[in-house]
Amino acid sequence: MDAKDLLRIIDDGENAELECKAAKGGLPKDVWETYSAFANTNGGIILLGVEQKGQEFFPVDVDAKKLVKDFWDGINNPQRISKNILVDRNVEIVEVDGKEIVKIYVPRASREDKPIYIGHNPFTGTYRRNYEGDYKCTKEEVQRMIADQSPIPQDSKVLPNYGLNDLNMESVRSYRNRFSSLKPDHPWNGLELKEFLYKIGALGRLRETNEEGLTLAGLLMFGEERSITEYLPQYFLEYREKSSDVPGERWTDRIISSDGTWSGNLYDFYFKVIRRLTDDLNIPFQMEGLFRKDDTRVHAALREALVNTLAHADYYGQRGIVIEKEKMLFRFSNPGVLRIPLQQALKGGISDPRNPTIFKMFMLIGLGERAGSGIENIHLAWKEQHWTAPELIEEFQPDRTILTLRTTSLLPQESVDFLKAVLGKHYKFLTNDEVLILVTAHQENYVTNTRLQSLTDKKSDEISKLLSGLVEKGYLEPNGQGRGTKYTLTEMFHQKSIGNSRYNRISSGPNVNNSGPNAANSGPNENEQTKDHEKVLLDISELARKKKRLNPSEMDEIILNLCAIKPLTLKELSQLLNRQMDPLRKKYISRLLKEGKLEPLYPEQINHPKQAYMTRSLFINQH
């Protein structure tokens, strides 16, 4: 890495993938927390010799060679850190503006090496990374990492106290019928029930005692919900469907594993859900010779996504499996993070399912592709339709993996027309990449560096340049710092969307320049009322804009007074208070909502694109 590349990283600022430390007094003690956090999350870069002043970062004078020596001494000391996963090339000295900076690249640790922890106790020395910095892992998070170390899959565990009485026999019979129809000449078709279940991995024996029992895979695949939850109390399956995009509308169809009307197992859940996912797919049929082929690559991709969700889930984890279908998207969410790096999962070719026996059971009846090809096939199907590329993300606290498949065009005409209407003659000066970025921001309400990497063939630093250029042009507004920054369309676009209902998709909610949610019907005094509101809001928030630091109670009072005038979006509050959106949300808004002092404008849909906040008294008056 040269100085130019390093300067670009510094310009990005601290985020989930970067930590800057001044290190003026030698190797900082908290460098080990960051090393542990990066290794246990998605990797990252530590820069020693970089100081933060406000929102800017500057190289400082340090003894770089001594820092490197002290770092290697510490990381190779088992009393200090559990494992060194670095090689020589991961640590280098780079000169910037005549000063030496130590760059340490920490890769994501393999599941066999996790958790990477400080000292001797993983339960007190394990860290992870989020956009707020390094945080100490909970006991449950550490336990899940330790469980994933094992070369023995969790779903092959034999449960000696569970037997055929715990199975739903209709599910078993249905599975055998599908198996024999697909493979009529297979020798397993003639086996007795127990022997068949043993062959497919649903039944097992403890070799030490020769005791027989269901495997965890067998219980999950074919068991009765009551038997499953006796062993896994947190087990839960849910399917939600919403047929329109009307804000606040409830789900029009819902399936849950605990309602008592069906078995509640994975096998039956798959077939209940897959029919609903594919029933109304608007995909042109294809021809194979003289015959119509109704099963398309998109149908196969949705089957693949559902099987992958069930096979990769951590059934000891929290919040269960949730499958969602909306008008323009499908979302597959399961407990547990990926067992391979995210970028490797997106490339395909390598797979490490948490439940390979469950995966095998689905493959035996023709569901699920060869290991490592699932995400690749889904990408191909979506590319074939010219739809927005699939989005795969990991979340922590609790651990979850979420795959979102949008059926919107990569460049929908509605969004292109919208950009042309707002930008006029300036639209023709946009590059193809810039159009894609602005369209994505319009369709998905915001864009991030990571999301754009999945949509283009460009690297992170190239995307950073494009995003910075659009910010300079006044088309995008950054919220947050670093590569975790969310970029939203600026106010010029929102004004257009408010003025024309055709473009309401991206309206971020009540505006400082509006008189409230019903501004359009406010009557002939609308402009005067708007000006009055704007002046009051500016007066109330003046102290916060002038002072960088305020007592939390003072800031609380200002926020509550602002939101008593009218519902305000997070973006509007950020502008009025001269504070960044992310810290404002995490430190104040979330807490005030929990305390019941603030109320969301759309309580039924917390992530509503027009979400705004009002004080309790205003909420009561409006309802």
Side-chain angles (χ1 to χ4, degrees), residues 355-593:
N355 304 288
T357 309
I358 290 173
F359 191 64
K360 169 189 170 184
M361 289 178 182
F362 278 114
M363 287 188 68
L364 286 171
I365 55 172
L367 303 172
E369 297 292 331
R370 61 181 176 81
S373 65
I375 292 295
E376 185 181 4
N377 288 341
I378 294 168
H379 270 271
L380 287 172
W382 251 244
K383 188 174 182 180
E384 185 177 82
Q385 297 299 320
H386 305 290
W387 286 338
T388 302
E391 180 181 23
L392 182 65
I393 63 171
E394 293 175 292
E395 291 183 352
F396 302 95
Q397 295 181 299
D399 294 356
R400 291 192 77 74
T401 302
I402 302 170
L403 173 67
T404 302
L405 306 176
R406 293 179 175 84
T407 56
T408 51
S409 170
L410 198 58
L411 290 175
Q413 195 59 46
E414 173 200 89
S415 293
V416 173
D417 290 345
F418 171 73
L419 295 181
K420 289 179 177 178
V422 175
L423 299 177
K425 63 182 180 180
H426 299 289
Y427 176 86
K428 65 182 180 181
F429 297 111
L430 293 173
T431 66
N432 291 339
D433 288 326
E434 288 175 328
V435 170
L436 175 62
I437 291 170
L438 294 176
V439 163
T440 305
H442 180 229
Q443 287 290 315
E444 300 179 15
N445 297 314
Y446 65 86
V447 291
T448 65
N449 189 300
T450 303
R451 175 63 174 142
L452 292 171
Q453 287 179 55
S454 70
L455 296 174
T456 69
D457 58 356
K458 297 191 179 300
K459 296 179 180 178
S460 175
D461 59 343
E462 295 175 291
I463 291 170
S464 290
K465 286 181 183 177
L466 288 167
L467 290 168
S468 297
L470 290 170
V471 170
E472 288 175 10
K473 291 176 182 178
Y475 299 159
L476 288 180
E477 180 174 341
N479 299 297
Q481 285 185 287
R483 292 191 188 93
T485 303
K486 293 180 178 180
Y487 294 83
T488 57
L489 295 176
T490 53
E491 196 62 32
M492 63 187 287
F493 294 95
H494 292 291
Q495 290 298 330
K496 182 69 179 182
S497 74
I498 291 168
N500 188 336
S501 60
R502 179 184 173 195
Y503 302 126
N504 277 345
R505 172 187 293 275
I506 67 161
S507 177
S508 64
N511 190 278
V512 174
N513 296 319
N514 289 343
S515 58
N518 298 313
N521 302 316
S522 58
N525 296 321
E526 177 184 349
N527 290 337
E528 291 179 18
Q529 189 178 7
T530 298
K531 289 177 182 177
D532 289 344
H533 276 169
E534 186 176 276
K535 184 178 185 306
V536 172
L537 292 171
L538 290 171
D539 287 345
I540 292 171
S541 57
E542 183 179 7
L543 180 63
R545 286 196 304 280
K546 287 183 176 179
K547 291 183 68 174
K548 284 286 185 183
R549 295 185 182 276
L550 278 180
N551 185 291
S553 60
E554 289 182 292
M555 182 64 87
D556 284 354
E557 184 179 357
I558 291 172
I559 292 172
L560 293 173
N561 286 336
L562 288 170
C563 294
I565 303 299
K566 54 171 281 190
L568 294 169
T569 66
L570 182 60
K571 181 179 177 182
E572 290 165 347
L573 286 167
S574 170
Q575 292 170 342
L576 287 165
L577 300 167
N578 193 26
R579 297 294 191 277
Q580 290 190 353
M581 289 172 64
D582 251 16
L584 185 62
R585 175 177 56 81
K586 291 170 182 174
K587 190 173 181 180
Y588 293 102
I589 304 301
S590 296
R591 176 172 53 78
L592 291 171
L593 286 169

Side-chain angles (χ1 to χ4, degrees), residues 16 19 21 29-43 80-82 85 106-109 113-130 132-139 141-143 145 396-397 399:
E19 178 77 17
K21 299 181 186 294
K29 291 182 180 179
D30 63 359
V31 74
W32 306 117
E33 295 177 8
T34 303
Y35 169 74
S36 167
F38 279 158
N40 292 323
T41 313
N42 279 315
R80 171 79 67 182
I81 202 81
S82 62
I85 60 170
V106 182
R108 173 172 171 152
D113 288 335
K114 290 180 186 176
I116 300 294
Y117 55 91
I118 300 169
H120 299 285
N121 188 347
F123 294 103
T124 59
T126 299
Y127 290 80
R128 265 186 176 163
R129 185 79 170 176
N130 59 24
E132 294 177 338
D134 308 327
Y135 73 89
K136 187 174 286 189
C137 291
T138 63
K139 181 181 178 182
E141 285 180 289
V142 176
Q143 285 173 331
M145 285 189 240
F396 302 95
Q397 295 181 299
D399 294 356

Side-chain angles (χ1 to χ4, degrees), residues 183-228:
K183 303 175 181 181
D185 299 323
H186 201 286
W188 292 356
N189 288 325
L191 297 176
E192 294 292 330
L193 175 61
K194 278 192 173 183
E195 207 50 38
F196 178 80
L197 292 174
Y198 182 80
K199 291 290 188 184
I200 66 172
L203 203 63
R205 296 186 186 89
L206 294 172
R207 292 193 176 275
E208 298 83 0
T209 62
N210 206 34
E211 192 174 1
E212 190 178 76
L214 292 179
T215 61
L216 180 57
L219 178 65
L220 289 166
M221 193 74 167
F222 305 118
E224 292 282 359
E225 190 266 346
R226 173 66 186 271
S227 296
I228 297 172

Side-chain angles (χ1 to χ4, degrees), residues 161-286:
N161 296 319
Y162 286 79
L164 298 184
N165 290 339
D166 294 294
L167 299 183
N168 180 285
M169 284 304 165
E170 283 300 316
S171 302
V172 175
R173 276 193 286 273
S174 173
Y175 183 91
R176 290 202 73 170
N177 287 339
R178 288 181 185 277
F179 180 87
S180 61
S181 296
L182 184 68
K183 303 175 181 181
D185 299 323
H186 201 286
W188 292 356
N189 288 325
L191 297 176
E192 294 292 330
L193 175 61
K194 278 192 173 183
E195 207 50 38
F196 178 80
L197 292 174
Y198 182 80
K199 291 290 188 184
I200 66 172
L203 203 63
R205 296 186 186 89
L206 294 172
R207 292 193 176 275
E208 298 83 0
T209 62
N210 206 34
E211 192 174 1
E212 190 178 76
L214 292 179
T215 61
L216 180 57
L219 178 65
L220 289 166
M221 193 74 167
F222 305 118
E224 292 282 359
E225 190 266 346
R226 173 66 186 271
S227 296
I228 297 172
T229 54
E230 283 177 358
Y231 185 76
L232 295 170
Q234 61 275 41
Y235 172 84
F236 188 70
L237 308 176
E238 181 176 13
Y239 169 77
R240 308 169 183 166
E241 183 174 331
K242 191 159 61 174
S243 57
S244 80
D245 53 7
V246 176
E249 182 178 301
R250 293 183 178 275
W251 303 108
T252 53
D253 190 11
R254 189 170 182 239
I255 300 169
I256 58 173
S257 55
S258 58
D259 70 4
T261 62
W262 59 290
S263 67
N265 60 45
L266 299 186
Y267 176 77
D268 288 338
F269 180 73
Y270 173 86
F271 285 102
K272 279 179 174 290
V273 169
I274 198 63
R275 292 189 186 98
R276 286 166 168 82
L277 289 177
T278 58
D279 267 351
D280 54 356
L281 274 180
N282 187 22
I283 306 294
F285 70 84
Q286 301 168 351

